[in-house]
Amino acid sequence: MDLPWVQELHFTHLKIAITIDRTFPVMPSGPIPAQPGDTLYLSNLDDMIGARVFTPTIYFYEPAAGMNSSQKPVMKILCDSLAEVLVPYYPLSGRLRETKNGKLEVFFGPNQGVLMVEAHCKMALADLGDVTVPNPGWEPLIFKFPDEEPYKVLDMPLVIAQVTLFSCGGFSLGLRLCHCICDGLGAMQLFRAWAATAKAGTIIAKPEPCWEREIFLPRNPPLVKFPHVEFMRIEDGSSLTMTLWQTKPVQKCYRISQEFQSHLKTLAQPDDVCTTFDAMAAHIWRSWVKALDVRPLDYELRLTFSVNARQKLHNPPLKEGFYGNVVCVACATSTVSELVNGQISDTTRVVREARLNVSEEYLRSTVDYIEAVRPKRLEFGGKLTITQWTRFSIYESADFGWGRPVYAGPIDLTPTPQVCVILPGGKADHHGTVVVCICLPEAAIDKFTEYLCMMDSSNASHI
């Protein structure tokens, strides 16, 4: 029997008890081109307010065939290979600090390094239920310091890795990586090097990592050529933000087939040629706003999403191994009425135009805007942010020698309920399936599911 085009996923409500056995720093295994007291420049793309976070991800590995006591322990392999990789990726062994005007830089001091955490759990992986569906109950598997402040990045290890061994022989790798150091593609480059080095038993870092953040120095004086609505503070005059933050939102996940995505794309592009992302983002945005019953209808809402600008840079082009932030935040705007009562083709066109507006000059203008204004807080007013992880080879990059993980991705979106993530279908998916994770008040879940599946219309061509 064929699976439905859109499948609502469910996760097990868990309480995972773990025991932390030890925490310790991992230092570069050899000499690095930095001494205590040295600093490294971070670009304004690295330093924008949305990058001042740690991105938590988790990787689950089943007991590997042939893994036995004669082999090196998992922890030993992971630590040794990470120490090797920290030589070419030495900036990750430093710390962040603020300089004049609140600008961040990497600085090096004695005894820094990255943080490794070794833990164990009496449960088996099978006790966690379906580990292919992101589950907020996995939170204990990703290390946080006691009483750690939200969004703290200053003087923190830039990589925090927790390895939790389960009773069945499987394990999880819970990773927190500071977004100021690399974007998603940069993180995958680092992770690929770590996994390849662990698998080979010798350092493999291809392409050669490149820092060179000075390529994005601001112009003097700054030249801001665009309004950059994506950063503007907007007092939310709609019910959207209040509805989400005053209720306890629930994380919902949906598996969406390639057939549904193709059908949606066909409906979305009667006039313009759009991408699958354009159509999916438009459909998710409209379904979310409809389900939340946002008022007033004339209020203008924002949809933001990251656009990889690597291929747009020609003056000069980036080196292949550059792993810093090279993303711009695209921003589409539409009134509640246009989203609720309009056609999907109209919303898709707005998303497509926002994506195509990102150019080399837009990126340079973003750098200069941050230099001139330096926004101090994340703005959520009237906004949904969609993050697309399908462009990252997250499963392919994470084979340390024990095979690909059964799950790789985030765990909990509810601390930032105005963020939606589109994930690849999973370890064994070769059919273009994606998983959409989004937050909703309990009362809006059924309506959102109905709109997302297009069950609200007897003729889906009219959505």
Side-chain angles (χ1 to χ4, degrees), residues 27 74 101 106 108 115 138 145 181 218-219 230 289 297 328 330 343 370 373-374 390 413 431 441 452:
M27 312 296 291
V74 166
N101 302 323
V106 178
F108 296 90
L115 182 67
W138 299 338
F145 291 98
I181 303 300
R219 292 170 286 203
E230 63 271 23
V289 171
L297 291 176
C328 281
Q343 303 289 315
I370 295 169
V373 178
R374 202 156 296 282
T390 52
L413 304 183
H431 307 291
L452 186 72

Side-chain angles (χ1 to χ4, degrees), residues 77 138 208 266 282 304 341 439:
I77 293 173
W138 299 338
E208 182 180 345
T266 301
T304 59
N341 300 318
C439 295

Side-chain angles (χ1 to χ4, degrees), residues 326-371:
V326 200
V327 293
C328 281
V329 181
C331 185
T333 60
S334 189
T335 65
V336 176
S337 179
E338 289 165 342
L339 291 169
V340 171
N341 300 318
Q343 303 289 315
I344 189 173
S345 56
D346 299 328
T347 309
T348 302
R349 189 176 301 114
V350 170
V351 174
R352 176 177 178 269
E353 287 171 356
R355 176 177 56 80
L356 294 177
N357 278 344
V358 173
S359 61
E360 182 163 14
E361 184 49 50
Y362 192 93
L363 181 141
R364 298 287 175 189
S365 180
T366 298
V367 169
D368 290 358
Y369 178 89
I370 295 169
E371 184 70 16

Side-chain angles (χ1 to χ4, degrees), residues 275-290:
T275 65
T276 301
F277 172 79
D278 296 337
M280 282 287 292
H283 183 51
I284 292 167
W285 190 20
R286 295 173 79 241
S287 301
W288 192 66
V289 171
K290 285 182 185 180

